[in-house]
């Protein structure tokens, strides 16, 4: 049922964009003196038809909402009365014809700006600061001197406001130049500049955004889940080793654990492998030797120790910033956002 709703809403959205687009052609053509014969929303046999204005322009609604058109008087399509020749499409100045052609996409962009303006004015916007969480050894990021906790504030002197800006800024800069200057702010507030340098082989792997940071060798701070045990499956390796709900994991095989996903990252995928888990309970540190095993939970088979987290994932304090706008400020931000979306 949800798929049907998605399809219906998609049709509604496309139909509305078509109306805005074709109305742009229609409105500008009328204002410039073209004679418009028909303004049709949709294709196929007309469902509704009405003539309006002194030109008796046909307003048509057709059943297939995936397109539309504006038909103007054009002598290439048939005889034109002498008195209407000055208003024929081919008799109008070239600059007017160009404006009519550009009016459709232009109205779509203006509509996007208006919608974004209203959203930003009413709700503001929330951004995630571009803070580095992990840096891979021997990577371009490590060679440049990027460190965990650094916040990227500019790329090639262009200010950065959030993590999305980092992704698009890095992709554009690295692919264009092979090297990128990052302005970063360390946790102590000190600013410095580092330069990311990539070789041709690395740049070939940067085509996908999902692979971008991995190739450059660093990760951005995102959701975190405290490494606290929430649930232990009965008769699982974790239960037999004495782990309980509320235990806080410090390390797995001497690798420090800062997030519950670190446990999953360090967990062997071969049943029978033994790991050393260091954890605290009531302020006292303990160590357990646990053999990972093939387990089943809720019909799903996986390799692990039988411990999971019940703590919801959340952003660290201060990572998420909410911005509010005045009406003029919201309009400027909406225009910037529309430009970024269009340029990308």
């Amino acid at each position: 049922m949800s798929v049907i709703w998605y399809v219906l809403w998609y049709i509604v959205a496309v139909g509305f964009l078509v109306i805005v687009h074709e109305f742009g052609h229609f409105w500008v053509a009328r204002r410039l003196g073209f004679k418009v014969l028909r303004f049709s929303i949709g294709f196929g046999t007309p469902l509704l038809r009405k003539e309006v204005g002194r030109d008796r322009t046909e307003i048509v609604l057709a059943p297939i909402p995936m397109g539309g058109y504006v038909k103007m008087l054009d002598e290439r399509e048939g005889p034109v009365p002498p008195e209407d020749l000055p208003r024929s499409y081919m008799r109008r100045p070239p600059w007017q014809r160009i404006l009519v052609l550009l009016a459709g996409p232009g109205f779509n962009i203006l509509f996007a700006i208006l919608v974004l303006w209203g959203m930003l004015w009413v709700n503001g916007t929330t951004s995630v600061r571009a803070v580095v969480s992990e840096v891979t050894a021997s990577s371009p990021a490590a060679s440049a001197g990027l460190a965990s906790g650094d916040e990227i504030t500019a790329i090639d002197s262009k200010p950065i406001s959030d993590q999305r800006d980092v992704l698009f800024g890095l992709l554009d800069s690295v692919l264009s130049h092979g090297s990128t200057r990052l302005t970063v702010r360390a946790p102590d507030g000190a600013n410095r500049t580092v330069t990311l340098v990539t070789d041709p082989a690395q740049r070939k792997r940067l085509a996908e955004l999902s692979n971008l940071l991995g190739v450059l060798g660093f990760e951005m701070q995102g959701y975190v889940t405290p490494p606290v045990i929430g649930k232990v499956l009965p008769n699982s390796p974790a239960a037999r080793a004495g782990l309980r709900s509320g235990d806080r994991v410090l390390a797995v095989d001497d690798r420090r654990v800062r997030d519950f996903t670190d446990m999953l990252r360090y967990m062997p995928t071969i049943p029978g492998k033994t790991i050393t888990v260091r954890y605290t309970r009531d302020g006292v540190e303990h160590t357990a030797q646990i053999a990972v095993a093939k387990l089943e939970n809720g019909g799903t088979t996986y390799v692990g120790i039988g411990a999971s987290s019940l703590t919801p994932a959340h952003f660290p304090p201060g990572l998420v910033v909410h911005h509010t706008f005045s009406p003029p400020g919201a309009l400027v931000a909406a225009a910037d956002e529309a430009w970024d979306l269009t340029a990308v």
Side-chain angles (χ1 to χ4, degrees), residues 74-229:
D74 192 335
E75 57 200 278
R76 295 173 300 178
E77 298 182 0
V80 174
E83 64 273 17
D84 285 336
L85 276 175
R87 303 182 64 197
S88 174
Y89 181 82
M90 294 304 297
R91 297 296 181 99
R92 306 304 296 174
W95 67 268
Q96 292 187 358
R97 283 181 273 161
I98 292 173
L99 283 181
V100 170
L101 292 174
L102 294 178
F107 267 54
N108 283 136
I109 294 173
L110 288 175
F111 176 72
I113 292 174
L114 289 175
V115 172
L116 289 170
W117 181 27
M119 293 172 60
L120 293 174
W121 184 7
V122 174
N123 299 320
T125 184
T126 300
S127 61
V128 182
R129 293 167 52 209
V131 178
V132 176
S133 61
E134 298 287 342
V135 177
T136 305
S138 302
S139 65
S143 300
L146 200 63
S148 177
D150 286 342
E151 180 179 1
I152 301 173
T153 58
I155 296 178
D156 292 335
S157 300
K158 181 179 179 181
I160 293 299
S161 61
D162 57 20
Q163 294 187 9
R164 188 190 66 168
D165 287 350
V166 170
L167 292 176
F168 288 114
L170 283 175
L171 187 64
D172 179 61
S173 180
V174 173
L175 290 179
S176 300
H177 313 297
S179 64
T180 303
R181 288 183 301 104
L182 304 181
T183 303
V184 300
R185 181 168 51 241
D188 62 4
N191 294 303
R192 70 184 193 282
T193 299
V194 301
T195 303
L196 285 173
V197 180
T198 56
D199 57 43
Q202 290 170 327
R203 290 196 289 275
K204 287 182 180 180
R205 299 162 54 199
L206 294 176
E208 297 181 8
L209 283 176
S210 59
N211 195 40
L212 174 63
L213 298 185
V215 173
L216 297 178
F218 71 96
E219 297 178 8
M220 305 300 297
Q221 180 68 69
Y223 286 107
V224 296
T225 304
V228 178
I229 303 297

Side-chain angles (χ1 to χ4, degrees), residues 2-344:
S2 60
V3 175
I4 296 176
W5 277 110
Y6 282 131
V7 172
L8 289 176
W9 279 113
Y10 174 78
I11 292 174
V12 170
V14 170
F16 196 77
L17 291 176
V18 167
I19 293 174
V20 172
H21 182 94
E22 298 302 331
F23 182 76
H25 294 306
F26 173 75
W27 189 85
V28 172
R30 289 281 298 271
R31 291 301 179 275
L32 293 177
F34 291 75
K35 184 170 183 177
V36 179
L37 303 179
R38 178 179 295 171
F39 175 25
S40 177
I41 300 300
F43 296 118
T45 304
L47 299 175
L48 297 173
R49 187 197 308 264
K50 185 177 181 180
E51 294 183 346
V52 298
R54 65 182 179 87
D55 290 333
R56 304 191 65 82
T57 302
E58 281 189 312
I59 306 297
V60 174
L61 179 63
I64 304 175
M66 306 304 287
Y69 64 93
V70 174
K71 182 179 181 180
M72 286 170 269
L73 184 67
D74 192 335
E75 57 200 278
R76 295 173 300 178
E77 298 182 0
V80 174
E83 64 273 17
D84 285 336
L85 276 175
R87 303 182 64 197
S88 174
Y89 181 82
M90 294 304 297
R91 297 296 181 99
R92 306 304 296 174
W95 67 268
Q96 292 187 358
R97 283 181 273 161
I98 292 173
L99 283 181
V100 170
L101 292 174
L102 294 178
F107 267 54
N108 283 136
I109 294 173
L110 288 175
F111 176 72
I113 292 174
L114 289 175
V115 172
L116 289 170
W117 181 27
M119 293 172 60
L120 293 174
W121 184 7
V122 174
N123 299 320
T125 184
T126 300
S127 61
V128 182
R129 293 167 52 209
V131 178
V132 176
S133 61
E134 298 287 342
V135 177
T136 305
S138 302
S139 65
S143 300
L146 200 63
S148 177
D150 286 342
E151 180 179 1
I152 301 173
T153 58
I155 296 178
D156 292 335
S157 300
K158 181 179 179 181
I160 293 299
S161 61
D162 57 20
Q163 294 187 9
R164 188 190 66 168
D165 287 350
V166 170
L167 292 176
F168 288 114
L170 283 175
L171 187 64
D172 179 61
S173 180
V174 173
L175 290 179
S176 300
H177 313 297
S179 64
T180 303
R181 288 183 301 104
L182 304 181
T183 303
V184 300
R185 181 168 51 241
D188 62 4
N191 294 303
R192 70 184 193 282
T193 299
V194 301
T195 303
L196 285 173
V197 180
T198 56
D199 57 43
Q202 290 170 327
R203 290 196 289 275
K204 287 182 180 180
R205 299 162 54 199
L206 294 176
E208 297 181 8
L209 283 176
S210 59
N211 195 40
L212 174 63
L213 298 185
V215 173
L216 297 178
F218 71 96
E219 297 178 8
M220 305 300 297
Q221 180 68 69
Y223 286 107
V224 296
T225 304
V228 178
I229 303 297
K231 181 180 180 182
V232 178
L233 294 179
N235 301 318
S236 65
R240 292 192 292 270
L243 286 182
R244 301 178 190 169
S245 177
D247 291 344
R248 186 179 190 90
V249 178
L250 302 177
V252 173
D253 288 341
D254 294 326
R255 285 174 290 194
R256 187 162 62 98
V257 170
R258 292 180 295 184
D259 187 274
F260 201 86
T261 55
D262 288 340
M263 291 186 61
L264 304 179
R265 185 182 299 116
Y266 302 151
M267 198 74 66
T269 58
I270 302 175
K273 292 284 186 179
T274 299
I275 59 173
T276 301
V277 176
R278 187 159 52 90
Y279 63 96
T280 59
R281 178 187 300 159
D282 298 327
V284 180
E285 188 172 311
H286 303 272
T287 300
Q289 302 290 320
I290 308 176
V292 299
K294 193 173 184 178
L295 304 171
E296 184 174 334
N297 183 29
T300 301
T301 301
Y302 67 100
V303 175
I305 62 174
S308 61
S309 172
L310 295 182
T311 306
H314 63 276
F315 283 113
L319 188 66
V320 177
V321 180
H322 185 75
H323 307 274
T324 58
F325 298 95
S326 64
L331 182 59
V332 172
D336 288 341
E337 181 71 10
W339 170 256
D340 289 341
L341 293 173
T342 304
V344 170

